[in-house]
Amino acid sequence: METNRFQLIILPISLLAMIAIGAMIVKHLSEPEEAALLKKIEEVKKQRGPQYKPRTKHLLADGQAKFTNRLFLEPSPYLLQHAHNPVNWYPWGEEAFEKAKELNRPVLLSIGYSTCHWCHVMEEESFENLEIAELMNQNYIAIKVDREERPDIDAVYMTAVQALTGRGGWPMTVWLTPDKKPYYGGTYFPPPHFSKLLKELKKIYDQNPEKIEEASSELARVIKQRLSSQSASDLPQTEPLHIAASYYKQAYDIKNGGLKGAPKFPSSLPIRFLLRYSHKSKDKDTLNMATQTLSKMASGGMYDHVGGGFHRYSTDSTWLVPHFEKMLYDNALLTQGYLEAYQVTRNPEFKRVAQETLDYVLRDMTSPEGGFYSATDADSIGPTGEREEGYYFTWTPAELDSILSKSEAKLVKQHYGVTKNGNFEGRNIFHTPKILKPENKTQLDSAREKLYQVRSKRPPLIRDEKILTAWNGLMISAFAKAGFVLDNPKYINAAVKSAQFLLDKSTKNKRLMRSYKDNKAHLNAYLDDYAFFIAALLDLYESTHDIKWLRQAIELDQSLEKFYEDKKSGGFFMTSHDHESLLAREKPNYDGAEPSGNSVAILNLLRLHEFTTKSSYHARAEKALKAFAGTLKRSPIALSEMLIALDFYLDTPKEIIIIALDQTSTHAFKDVLRKQFLPNRIVAITISGKDLEEQSRLIPLMKHKVIRDGRATAYVCEDRVCNFRQLIQRSLLSR
């Protein structure tokens, strides 16, 4: 009967023999469709093998899942977390929307990501609840989306939620018509409120279709308006830089660093912009703001003092209590900030934090193939068997006494501010209220290693092991820059391995893919995948001097230009011209926790122009800056990363060409560059002979350059007018 198709159906014994993964399944399917779906699930179950553990409280006596839905077929770790909910989840796709049209049902869209704490809460409270699940299954077509794999969908419906509520976040919950138009939405809903909304909004959908049409059409209009391209304006000059610096000075937290108030996000105060502004204007205040903030973050609980790396953000104003998830992109961007601050100040603490963060990524976040995993969760299993936020990272005095020697425990407690009552739910988040005496460093390092080894035996954090091209690009840049600045081949090798992995495994038909997992790349790439990876390839070229990386950057930019560029107005769309059509095609114009693809792409074009001298790169960058000139003039802090590109554009970048007889004779020049903060420049290093000839084909500035007096020679050029500096005069590079 038709009504039975929308309820929980106990599978007959014959089907249980087909699919041992569950005793119950939800369906809206004909028998042939059901059989085909069950066959797919069984095939994937065999591929995943006996080590696969369903993440659900609904288990059979043998530990197998009681429920299985279509998300089991998906590679996304976030979608797999919901594969055994009693909800009949669909992944985003035409199958779901066609079914909604066929049954005349609204769509319930839920968007989140695998390490999202409140996503876990809503899952446990609502999506694992049998009554709520049945309410969803009987009245809606339910769709799950991983926002990290589908940022285009996330951007469209986050715009709707922000228009409705004035705020946004995850989990995001949106009610849609079968033609994908939203008519209501929000973020986290507690179970009673969620149940009430499910009933009321379905009732309105059925009884007042004209009201739904009016609301959804208006929201669709708002989405298109907010995500549409801006009108081009005159090229901005230096005023946005000064306005932004002035704003950050006024909003700065003099005591704690960062911006005033809480929560505190690392990206809210753009360290790399402040360092550039200080460098050019000789403004000591902006330098102090950047360095104090870096010091405060590294001494607070937002930094993992045992394992290295940063948590996502601080929930308080003092950087003490973090939201404990760790994101790859945060650690990539923060590492670059600490490296640049180290170049400016030579503060060894900045160097230490950068090294520890990269070592954490190599140890805990790197796949055997060389790609970097996306994130780790905030929650882990505590002593009670329940998931607890932060338990994995926190300590009690008794735990420290049981692991360390008496003198080590005393030092750790003093240095990391450990108390009997703790600072987080009766436990202690390590932080460093006092400066460590140099003579205690060796003992502290030994104690930290012991604590790390014990901590690693605790129930593990969930790790999202999808490899995102964009985030890997950011981390490749961090490793490449660190390898050069710190003269560490280990970091260079990590960058090279990851870059080659992306080119080999996350590229199809010379176009990038978004995500890689389980030996398979899938989903079209987005603007930020191209922009961040091109930037990484440019950084890798400057760190290795291997011309193949510059060549790859040029080739990927050709794809970006062909499929993503707005030829009419300038700038780039998030999605390619041949991508799935959504309610709006966004042209990203906001730098948040991650830079926008447009901000990074513009700087890439300016760098490519300096390397190749091709005016087309410069013209495209100018056109893009004009496209965002309105925002840069009106609200420059909304595009804090683009301010770095604007600063590069308004400057006269140095083009540094170093020619030597062999690699050894380049070291002295490299040492000079490592120690100097010289952001608006390109560096090309070559060996006289065949390598010089090959590189000259892409870098015309190398042509006709020769070694002077048999010694390594640096040509320091501006606007392609060069002066040479011999080794003995290398300090002149900074002039």
Side-chain angles (χ1 to χ4, degrees), residues 263-283:
K264 272 181 157 58
F265 287 85
S267 60
S268 297
L269 189 74
I271 299 298
R272 295 171 62 242
F273 163 70
L274 294 178
L275 291 175
R276 281 157 178 74
Y277 188 84
S278 171
H279 177 75
K280 182 169 287 186
S281 66
K282 310 304 179 186
D283 186 325

Side-chain angles (χ1 to χ4, degrees), residues 689-732:
K690 185 177 179 180
D691 183 65
L692 173 58
E693 181 180 342
E694 183 181 3
Q695 293 208 45
S696 295
R697 296 191 188 104
L698 289 182
I699 307 174
L701 280 170
M702 286 186 173
K703 291 180 179 179
H704 312 302
K705 300 296 188 295
V706 297
I707 293 174
R708 302 293 182 109
D709 301 329
R711 307 172 68 183
T713 305
Y715 291 84
V716 182
C717 315
E718 293 181 353
D719 282 335
R720 284 148 295 282
V721 177
C722 304
N723 294 310
F724 76 88
R725 304 282 187 257
Q726 289 183 321
L727 186 59
I728 199 169
Q729 298 170 298
R730 57 186 178 270
S731 62
L732 295 177

